[in-house]
Amino acid sequence: MTDEPVSPSRRGFLRSTALAGAGLVAGAASARAAGPDPKITEVQDWASSFGDAVDAAPYGSPIRFESHVVRRNVEWLTESPVSSINFTPIHALEGTITPQGCAFERHHSGAIELSKQDFRLMINGLVEKPLVFTFEDLLRFPRSVTTAFCECAANGGMEWGGAQLEGCQYTQGMIHNMEYTGVPLRLLLEEAGVNPEGKWVYAEGADASSNGRSMPLEKAMDDVMVAFFANGEALRKEHGYPARLVVPGWEGNMWVKWLRRIAVYDQAVESREETSKYTDLMPDGRARKWTWVMDAKSVITSPSPQVPIRHGKGALVISGLAWSGNGRITRVDVSLDGGVNWQPARISGDAKPKALTRFHLDINWNGEEMLLQSRAIDDTGYLQPTKDELREIRGLNNVYHNNGIQTWWVKADGEVENVEVA
Ligand code: MTE
Ligand code: CO
């Protein structure tokens, strides 16, 4: 179930282990015993000749040994690849920042190519003076920088009925986390002057779908950004070049790409039927609406079905991600036995509000089966629920907002499977 190719260096590593292994006691995080390892004792090819010159790749790509770390889609999920989604390889990433090149994409009518010269952003509706900004105009407003996760409301949607897909790339990978630079939307709205009767801000994109969405004025004036840089460089085409909305903590659908219009209204409007489908159908036939905030959630990214344990028992690094659209992650607990016992994991690095947070737990694996789980707690005191707790309230008709606890069954041979515990 793993998609990692066996690279030459990996084979070398395994061989040297076999050579040195005889006298080794498997201890916690032990280094390999020094032995007749040709990787140490012999001069290697890469030390006997020159490497690439500096201009071999004016804009670099990952080394070929990492070519399996890519977005992937699930073909049966959608009818057409232009109105579709792919998944971030979160199982193979570390830290918290998602490189743009492998950050999931969700388009309703394909990723369009819109140049800075062709870009126009209009602000109209209930404003004192309707305005049209060029890209150059945006560059002259004061900027801010913020790191935020963008999670599609449908993330985990295929798992409502039960464990289905083998890998957190597919079960939790409709998410990315980037550091954005742009103009606070508040500054642009203030420039146009919002009339007192203006209560809602409607944003639409330049693509055929437009993905028009309404948000309350309070959110628009709070932390929403018109972003043009992500992770220090221009947005990629697929993420809305040259400018997109960043709506921290709120579902991905609000993060309008290829932004073209902001309209102030006295009520919420929806552009196309497609976008008004973002409601959560409840068991009694009623639908939850305006469920914009993404509740706290977490997942163990390694080990996981795409990252089985290959090194046998002993030291094991458990690594995972946690996030909350309501604020900061304050604690992540890990269970090795399907939720019977819990222990706190280590939060590694910063726990920024409305951003991915990395946690680690270092254990000494005894080689026995485990039912690995993690649960996130945010600074509102919210505790990530189990999938059954969610189903009890929301039923099974629903696709969106599945933030239930994920279970990985780690088998004695180190293989990992997506399961649920009763
Ligand atoms: N904006 C436009 N203009 N068109 C779209 O199809 N898709 C939305 C949102 N913004 C969409 C859009 C959805 S449903 C999601 S989850 C996010 O973009 C995904 O952003 P990404 O493609 O950068 O991952
Ligand atoms: Co979405």
Side-chain angles (χ1 to χ4, degrees):
M1 198 51 236
T2 167
D3 50 21
E4 189 182 328
V6 176
S7 69
S9 58
R10 171 125 213 126
R11 254 185 270 125
F13 179 72
L14 295 176
R15 200 181 330 108
S16 66
T17 308
L19 276 175
L24 247 187
V25 184
S30 62
R32 303 289 154 193
D37 182 346
K39 293 285 181 243
I40 297 289
T41 56
E42 283 167 30
V43 176
Q44 304 295 316
D45 288 351
W46 50 85
S48 321
S49 57
F50 293 126
D52 290 342
V54 285
D55 52 2
Y59 193 101
S61 310
I63 194 166
R64 64 192 169 93
F65 307 129
E66 298 296 319
S67 59
H68 57 288
V69 185
V70 288
R71 301 186 269 239
R72 293 180 193 277
N73 69 12
V74 174
E75 270 159 32
W76 52 261
L77 207 58
T78 51
E79 273 170 38
S80 147
V82 293
S83 180
S84 191
I85 190 146
N86 57 23
F87 302 85
T88 308
I90 53 171
H91 65 289
L93 301 175
E94 255 295 341
T96 57
I97 294 294
T98 315
Q100 288 197 71
C102 65
F104 88 95
E105 307 163 69
R106 168 74 174 113
H107 322 302
H108 291 81
S109 52
I112 58 166
E113 193 174 81
L114 179 62
S115 70
K116 288 177 180 170
Q117 291 72 31
D118 289 336
F119 173 88
R120 297 289 184 280
L121 173 58
M122 174 161 72
I123 299 201
N124 67 353
L126 299 170
V127 293
E128 281 161 35
K129 40 176 189 260
L131 295 170
V132 174
F133 301 96
T134 64
F135 190 78
E136 283 292 311
D137 294 334
L138 289 186
L139 292 179
R140 298 176 67 190
F141 279 86
R143 291 174 206 174
S144 64
V145 177
T146 194
T147 303
F149 74 81
C150 171
E151 181 181 19
C152 185
N155 198 16
M158 294 86 78
E159 304 285 307
W160 267 108
Q164 176 161 224
L165 296 169
E166 289 305 331
C168 58
Q169 177 165 19
Y170 306 108
T171 50
Q172 281 85 7
M174 290 183 194
I175 192 163
H176 53 62
N177 189 65
M178 304 191 199
E179 185 214 66
Y180 297 96
T181 301
V183 179
L185 179 56
R186 176 178 53 82
L187 297 183
L188 302 181
L189 287 168
E190 282 170 0
E191 186 77 6
V194 176
N195 292 341
E197 59 284 19
K199 294 283 177 277
W200 288 82
V201 168
Y202 169 79
E204 94 189 347
D207 54 329
S209 82
S210 89
N211 195 73
R213 294 283 275 160
S214 288
M215 71 179 79
L217 182 66
E218 300 85 71
K219 179 67 176 175
M221 297 298 262
D222 179 17
D223 57 0
V224 177
M225 179 197 277
V226 176
F228 29 84
F229 284 92
N231 300 341
E233 62 179 356
L235 280 171
R236 295 278 168 90
K237 166 182 162 179
E238 58 270 36
H239 301 300
Y241 182 94
R244 83 172 308 166
L245 277 192
V246 165
V247 190
W250 286 28
E251 60 186 29
N253 192 245
M254 313 291 287
W255 293 50
V256 177
K257 302 191 279 191
W258 314 290
L259 192 61
R260 76 179 279 271
R261 189 163 75 101
I262 299 284
V264 180
Y265 292 122
D266 55 358
Q267 57 183 1
V269 290
E270 305 275 352
S271 66
R272 307 273 158 96
E273 206 205 338
E274 172 81 39
T275 53
S276 56
K277 282 187 203 149
Y278 280 78
T279 52
D280 307 350
L281 190 57
M282 302 274 281
D284 61 2
R286 290 182 304 156
R288 294 203 315 150
K289 197 180 168 189
W290 295 347
T291 48
W292 301 300
V293 178
M294 301 308 292
D295 285 326
K297 186 167 167 180
S298 68
V299 64
I300 291 172
T301 52
S302 173
S304 62
Q306 294 158 292
V307 194
I309 306 172
R310 291 202 177 94
H311 54 57
K313 60 186 179 185
L316 173 68
V317 173
I318 296 173
S319 182
L321 290 168
W323 61 96
S324 169
N326 280 301
R328 207 181 291 272
I329 292 295
T330 51
R331 205 178 88 209
V332 181
D333 293 333
V334 169
S335 174
L336 311 180
D337 54 13
V340 181
N341 296 289
W342 294 94
Q343 52 186 310
R346 204 160 26 89
I347 304 268
S348 298
D350 298 336
K352 295 179 178 153
K354 305 175 187 178
L356 289 191
T357 300
R358 177 62 62 176
F359 66 87
H360 290 117
L361 181 70
D362 306 297
I363 67 160
N364 197 353
W365 183 42
N366 59 10
E368 285 169 16
E369 289 190 0
M370 294 187 284
L371 289 169
L372 276 184
Q373 295 184 336
S374 63
R375 64 179 187 195
I377 295 125
D378 71 19
D379 59 6
T380 68
Y382 178 94
L383 171 68
Q384 183 184 355
T386 64
K387 290 184 182 176
D388 280 339
E389 281 167 348
L390 278 179
R391 289 183 187 118
E392 227 165 85
I393 301 166
R394 303 215 202 125
L396 288 171
N397 298 328
N398 171 48
V399 182
Y400 301 114
H401 294 275
N402 179 358
N403 67 321
I405 291 173
Q406 175 68 51
T407 310
W408 301 131
W409 174 25
V410 179
K411 301 171 196 179
D413 62 1
E415 291 297 316
V416 183
E417 202 177 300
N418 179 10
V419 297
E420 284 196 31
V421 289

